[in-house]
Amino acid sequence: MKAGALEQNLPIQDLIVSPQHRILVGGNRELQDSFESEAFAPAKSLTSLPGI
């Protein structure tokens, strides 16, 4: 995941995670088009997003 892929400065630096690694999304309005509230999403479900 590239730095800034979730929103500006999130993550702060590039990350390497496993496909099953869960990432908390939606809590700070990041990816609000995809998530109405906080959720733990597996990294592999986010691969269609730019920078991931």
Side-chain angles (χ1 to χ4, degrees), residues 12-50:
I12 294 172
Q13 61 188 24
D14 291 353
L15 297 176
I16 298 174
V17 297
S18 72
Q20 292 300 326
H21 189 101
R22 304 292 174 161
I23 299 170
L24 182 63
V25 294
N28 293 320
R29 305 185 64 83
E30 69 275 9
L31 304 177
Q32 62 188 12
D33 297 336
S34 302
F35 298 92
E36 294 179 11
S37 61
E38 286 184 337
F40 282 102
K44 68 180 182 179
S45 71
L46 304 173
T47 58
S48 64
L49 300 172

